[in-house]
């Protein structure tokens, strides 16, 4: 386990995504759910990517999920793990697995959301073993 800390760049925030980062600043993970077809999705969009309805609503996610796939980046100053995490709500998000032994990460492991500060922007959601 490395003791060095990675720096995270500030995410680009626009009106469509601002509620997501406002919630992130409060420690809450939000998703979008479509009132027309019932599907949840990530990255949050105003228009449903499944049925093109504009009846999308913000929902609060549990913040819990499982690792669907991952890769550890080692040829960088501070190694890190990039991953796809499937949330209990059924959506899969690209993220990082943090605050753990990178060699102990496995597909199917249970994880929970943590929010990491960024360089001058809102915190971003990442995941750590549950
Ligand atoms: Zn829809």
């Amino acid at each position: 386990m490395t003791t060095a800390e990675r720096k995270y760049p500030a995410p680009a925030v626009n009106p469509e995504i601002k509620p997501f980062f406002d919630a992130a600043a409060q420690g809450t993970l939000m998703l979008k759910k479509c009132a027309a077809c019932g599907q949840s999705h990530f990255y949050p969009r105003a228009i449903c990517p499944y049925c093109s309805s504009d009846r999308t609503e913000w929902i609060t996610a549990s913040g819990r999920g499982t690792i669907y796939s991952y890769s550890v980046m080692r040829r960088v100053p501070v190694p890190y793990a990039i991953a796809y995490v499937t949330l209990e709500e059924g959506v899969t998000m690209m993220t990082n697995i943090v605050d753990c032994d990178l060699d102990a990460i496995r597909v199917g492991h249970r994880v929970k959301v943590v929010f990491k500060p960024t360089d001058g922007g809102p915190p971003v959601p990442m995941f750590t073993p549950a």
Side-chain angles (χ1 to χ4, degrees), residues 34 36-39 48 50-53:
C34 177
C37 74
Q39 292 258 37
C48 174
Y50 297 102
C51 74
S52 301
S53 170

Side-chain angles (χ1 to χ4, degrees), residues 2 4-6 8 72-81 97 102:
T2 181
E5 280 288 317
R6 282 179 68 215
Y8 305 110
V72 177
M73 306 296 148
R74 298 187 189 279
R75 299 185 67 165
V76 290
V78 183
Y80 66 97
I97 307 299
L102 298 179

Side-chain angles (χ1 to χ4, degrees), residues 32-36 45-48 51-57:
K32 273 291 188 90
K33 184 171 185 172
C34 177
R45 299 175 183 89
I47 303 296
C48 174
C51 74
S52 301
S53 170
D54 64 357
R55 292 171 54 208
T56 58
E57 303 166 341

Side-chain angles (χ1 to χ4, degrees), residues 7-37:
K7 297 274 187 232
Y8 305 110
V13 179
N14 61 45
E16 187 178 23
I17 193 70
K18 188 174 184 300
F20 176 84
F21 286 111
D22 287 347
Q26 303 300 317
T28 300
L29 181 65
M30 301 287 278
L31 299 174
K32 273 291 188 90
K33 184 171 185 172
C34 177
C37 74

